[in-house]
Amino acid sequence: QVHLVESGGGLVQAGGSLRLSCAASGSRFSIATMRWYRQAPGKQRELVATITSGGTTNYEDSVKGRFTISRDNVKNTVYLQMNSLKPEDTAIYYCQATALVTTDFVDYWGQGTQVTVSS
């Protein structure tokens, strides 16, 4: 079993920055790909950024150039640096990890952290 704990959300003015963190804990696991999703009120959850175990990254078009995903494999932690925030970035942000647990790949989710960007 892998447990994901997010932190770093909050209220910020447009143009500001926030850094989200997501730490994975458990036993007998190896994290493969980690992702950040977000869900705004009344909208479907969308994939924001992805980082593989080798460090390859991918971003949703609206956040390219503003958000940066990174990871610390020793700490089993993924980060999302969010700059030049816009009101439309307001959402609950979720961390998701695909982990190899013994012999199976399993997806895990964090509880979410609220990001609110005021205009």
Side-chain angles (χ1 to χ4, degrees), residues 80-114:
L80 187 67
Q81 178 66 44
M82 305 185 295
N83 298 328
S84 302
L85 282 161
K86 304 175 181 180
E88 50 264 43
D89 294 318
T90 295
I92 299 174
Y93 283 71
Y94 297 91
C95 171
Q96 187 266 325
T98 300
L100 178 62
V101 182
T102 57
T103 60
D104 297 316
F105 283 99
V106 183
D107 288 338
Y108 295 93
W109 291 85
Q111 80 286 355
T113 185
Q114 177 71 47

Side-chain angles (χ1 to χ4, degrees), residues 2-8 20-25 34 36 76-78 95 109-113:
V2 176
H3 188 50
L4 302 177
V5 178
E6 298 130 333
S7 60
L20 306 183
S21 299
C22 173
S25 61
M34 302 188 81
W36 286 99
N76 283 318
T77 299
V78 64
C95 171
W109 291 85
Q111 80 286 355
T113 185

Side-chain angles (χ1 to χ4, degrees), residues 10-18 83-87 116-119:
L11 173 65
V12 65
Q13 289 188 332
S17 299
L18 284 174
N83 298 328
S84 302
L85 282 161
K86 304 175 181 180
T116 303
V117 184
S118 62
S119 57

